[in-house]
Amino acid sequence: MSMVRVRFAPSPTGYLHVGGARTALYNYLFAKKNGGEFILRIEDTDEARSTQESLRGVIDDMVWLNLLWNEGVDPVTLRDQGASGPYKQSERQYIYSEIADNLLNANKAYYCFLTDEEITTQREAAIKAGRPPQVNSPYQDWTLEKAKERLATGDKAVVRFKTRDLKKDYIFTDLVRHEVKFPSDMVGDFVILRSGGMPVYNFCCAIDDHMMKISHVFRAEEHLPNTLRQLMLYEAMGWQPPEFGHISLILDEDRQKLSKRKGAVACGQLKAEGYLASAVLNFIALLGWSHPEGKEIMTVDDMIQAFDVSRLNSSGAVFDRVKFKWMNAMHLRALPNMDLWQEIQPFLAREKMDLPKDPVWQEKSIMAFKTSMETLADAIELYKPLNDISFTILPEAEETLMWEPTKTVLLAWRDLVQASGKDYLSEAEFLKLQDEVKNKTGAKGKNLFMPIRVAVIGKPHGTELKILVPLIKTSSLVTRANKVLEKIG
RNA sequence: GUUCCCAUCGUCUAGGGGCCUAGGACACCUCCCUUUCACGGAGGAUACAGGGGUUCGAAUCCCCUUGGGAACGCCA
């Protein structure tokens, strides 16, 4: 096999969503597995919708996911980087127009002066007659000279690719779904150049894939019909098409294609919600692909090792947030303690918490909370109790406060903590102290620990006290106990 | 409407003619651990869309039906 070169070709018209990320991932994995190259091409021919901000956003998300490319645009400057550029289609117009001219001269394409109204009328009529809504342009029979004369008068025209004289069926072997057969009348004469001269997706795509020597194209199933158009183009230009693999769609809960409109499935949003890039990658990888041994929790390296096109699934997959969250929790736990501490900092910062700077304390806190975190954002609620500013007695504590032994337990607790003379209580010291409270007051079971818990975190349920208490200064424990005692009166 | 694609537990999937009285994972239920919750551990319930073939034998191959999805743009 010659050099493997794959590409991911986003259009900078919005954020990167999980569907796009998965396409990028599969291309990336395939390249890495085969010692090939991964190219990032920017499909920005939609002048109206493409924006610099979107490009920036998509690139940042790719970088966050660590799906880095060998050629494309520089992730920082966004300037071209590589030998097959330009990589932004908007800068490749000279290439497209030259090829369009060739097609025009060869009578394989023609100028079409149909107005929008005329096209709409044709489409409606076609549907009514039970035919696919294709245009049937009267201009396909015009000579190039005649068209150019009209163009010279200032009239605008698109360039359409002529499909009428093509062979009947196009057959190709898809890497994911095996043999696919399209009747050529499935598509009408499609536009390759807009009236402004800007090329259209299928045209650029075929040209760029060829010129950038792309060997394999993995893209979403929605592009299957486009493949027919591109195959026609390859044929017209006498080029060898790449291998195609059309991967299944990611669906929402209603089994519809995951759309930007409906779901919060932007990679950037997942990041903001506290998901790890490694978990996102792991999860989307499994939406349409499986490890030969059924392994579920994987690093990207694991995936590269095991990646095999034959294990790509051809049916659509629902994006299940519940399982995704579980997987994120697994990745969270696999992180070294201090790495996890770093990861939660942006989330804690949102709440302006004042937590100890001592790394020993920090690591201890992570060890205490690691198994209760599903997303990084969960750290906020977990760390809040450690933060004096946010100590409040919650309504759910009311019942405990009304119990008969509560007051005596709290008084004993406060006094013993105060008398300890320590800055922080160790777990053992806390347990011993708790025993003393028990002996002193005769309270046991929930009559004992629930009041104490309220005096520590403001509510009767939550993280184990033996974990929490060693993370809170004794002076703070006393202050908190006093607040609760005040409330009881 | 037309064309194409798809079809195993609620969800992601394993499975490519006998190893399947269908395996794993999430979620769910029960129990254990635990002075709460969580974590962890042990169990449990739940699926081959339907109908025809082919075959000694079909979740696996073929056909039809049904269902779902996608595409039909001067979007990509």
Side-chain angles (χ1 to χ4, degrees):
Chain A
M1 183 159 53
S2 56
M3 183 64 164
V4 165
R5 282 171 62 85
V6 297
R7 46 64 167 190
F8 177 57
S11 64
T13 53
Y15 48 74
L16 181 68
H17 55 99
V18 288
R22 189 190 54 165
T23 300
L25 173 64
Y26 286 162
N27 278 288
Y28 177 88
L29 294 176
F30 185 75
K32 295 298 164 193
K33 173 76 184 188
N34 295 291
E37 283 157 350
F38 178 52
I39 290 114
L40 182 76
R41 184 171 73 220
I42 309 301
E43 307 213 324
D44 56 351
T45 53
D46 185 347
E47 292 171 292
R49 294 197 301 148
S50 295
T51 66
Q52 194 70 9
E53 299 76 67
S54 285
L55 177 57
R56 182 78 266 164
V58 169
I59 300 277
D60 288 351
D61 288 337
M62 293 281 290
V63 170
W64 177 62
L65 291 170
N66 205 26
L67 295 176
L68 303 179
W69 48 95
N70 304 291
E71 292 175 32
V73 295
D74 182 277
V76 178
T77 63
L78 302 185
R79 285 210 205 90
D80 274 347
Q81 178 193 67
S84 313
Y87 293 93
K88 294 188 198 106
Q89 290 184 329
S90 58
E91 292 167 13
R92 299 173 64 81
Q93 282 201 64
Y94 65 97
I95 299 169
Y96 308 128
S97 42
E98 191 190 321
I99 294 173
D101 274 343
N102 293 158
L103 253 21
L104 246 10
N105 288 325
N107 196 27
K108 289 176 176 175
Y110 59 91
Y111 286 106
C112 172
F113 297 89
L114 241 29
T115 62
D116 287 349
E117 294 72 42
E118 289 171 320
I119 291 171
T120 311
T121 310
Q122 278 203 14
R123 289 218 166 92
E124 282 167 0
I127 288 193
K128 205 168 280 176
R131 284 180 286 118
Q134 299 165 351
V135 292
N136 186 8
S137 174
Y139 303 99
Q140 62 183 302
D141 297 323
W142 281 31
T143 61
L144 191 51
E145 290 65 37
K146 192 174 172 189
K148 280 185 170 164
E149 276 167 33
R150 178 154 171 192
L151 245 18
T153 68
D155 280 359
K156 293 285 181 203
V158 298
V159 176
R160 283 184 192 278
F161 182 74
K162 195 182 279 186
T163 58
R164 188 201 266 170
D165 308 329
L166 268 21
K167 63 186 181 195
K168 194 147 180 39
D169 295 319
Y170 283 76
I171 301 170
F172 76 102
T173 305
D174 190 277
L175 265 10
V176 180
R177 27 204 103 225
H178 309 290
E179 192 179 282
V180 180
K181 181 171 155 185
F182 294 114
S184 63
D185 59 7
M186 185 174 145
V187 296
D189 292 357
F190 54 93
V191 173
I192 57 174
L193 244 44
R194 304 190 228 288
S195 55
M198 187 60 102
V200 167
Y201 170 73
N202 283 294
F203 191 50
C204 311
C205 183
I207 292 171
D208 292 348
D209 284 342
H210 174 256
M211 297 190 65
M212 294 181 180
K213 298 191 164 55
I214 301 300
S215 60
H216 302 258
V217 172
F218 293 99
R219 55 171 34 155
E221 183 191 333
E222 61 198 354
H223 284 293
L224 218 32
N226 286 328
T227 307
L228 169 60
R229 297 184 179 84
Q230 292 171 21
L231 251 17
M232 290 170 165
L233 253 8
Y234 278 103
E235 184 181 59
M237 298 182 288
W239 294 340
Q240 177 74 29
E243 301 265 6
F244 293 101
H246 289 88
I247 54 194
S248 55
L249 262 16
I250 298 184
L251 277 16
D252 61 21
E253 292 82 347
D254 306 326
R255 298 211 137 259
Q256 308 270 304
K257 178 175 132 188
L258 213 46
S259 69
K260 294 188 183 184
R261 287 280 159 78
K262 281 178 74 177
V265 287
C267 293
Q269 168 149 9
L270 296 178
K271 181 184 178 188
E273 287 174 8
Y275 290 93
L276 255 20
S278 65
V280 174
L281 257 14
N282 191 166
F283 188 72
I284 60 180
L286 257 16
L287 254 29
W289 175 78
S290 60
H291 184 103
E293 284 137 43
K295 201 170 171 182
E296 296 222 58
I297 304 297
M298 287 176 273
T299 63
V300 172
D301 282 339
D302 293 334
M303 295 185 237
I304 293 171
Q305 283 296 320
F307 195 72
D308 178 0
V309 173
S310 71
R311 299 193 67 82
L312 247 20
N313 213 84
S314 49
S315 54
V318 173
F319 187 89
D320 179 5
R321 283 182 161 273
V322 177
K323 185 163 185 178
F324 177 43
K325 205 170 201 177
W326 164 80
M327 186 164 279
N328 195 60
M330 300 309 279
H331 278 258
L332 234 41
R333 280 180 225 174
L335 237 39
N337 294 329
M338 291 314 278
D339 289 2
L340 181 51
W341 171 259
Q342 288 307 324
E343 293 281 1
I344 62 174
Q345 291 319 299
F347 294 87
L348 298 183
R350 286 185 201 162
E351 296 290 317
K352 307 233 182 310
M353 285 189 213
D354 183 27
L355 297 170
K357 306 279 180 284
D358 175 16
V360 175
W361 183 92
Q362 293 171 348
E363 180 157 22
K364 209 159 73 171
S365 72
I366 290 291
M367 288 193 286
F369 293 144
K370 215 171 187 175
T371 55
S372 348
M373 257 187 252
E374 288 190 304
T375 67
L376 298 170
D378 290 340
I380 296 170
E381 290 309 313
L382 255 10
Y383 277 84
K384 256 187 187 167
L386 303 185
N387 199 40
D388 289 335
I389 316 161
S390 46
F391 179 77
T392 40
I393 302 159
L394 272 53
E396 55 195 281
E398 296 290 343
E399 196 196 319
T400 308
L401 296 186
M402 288 188 309
W403 293 342
E404 196 267 321
T406 295
K407 191 170 180 178
T408 33
V409 168
L410 290 184
L411 284 169
W413 160 253
R414 181 196 64 188
D415 293 345
L416 282 165
V417 170
Q418 202 154 27
S420 73
K422 297 264 164 73
D423 261 2
Y424 286 97
L425 255 28
S426 71
E427 183 181 324
E429 284 163 342
F430 161 72
L431 290 174
K432 196 168 149 237
L433 197 147
Q434 190 179 233
D435 263 350
E436 286 176 50
V437 175
K438 183 163 132 190
N439 294 336
K440 220 165 142 181
T441 61
K444 58 182 180 182
K446 63 179 190 175
N447 280 335
L448 174 69
F449 68 81
M450 277 184 157
I452 297 179
R453 185 188 301 282
V454 172
V456 175
I457 61 172
K459 56 183 182 178
H461 297 285
T463 312
E464 278 188 84
L465 283 174
K466 62 178 184 187
I467 287 169
L468 235 27
V469 170
L471 293 170
I472 303 172
K473 267 204 161 98
T474 50
S475 57
S476 174
L477 290 172
V478 170
T479 313
R480 293 174 190 210
N482 280 332
K483 272 196 186 161
V484 178
L485 282 164
E486 230 169 81
K487 175 138 185 157
I488 298 177

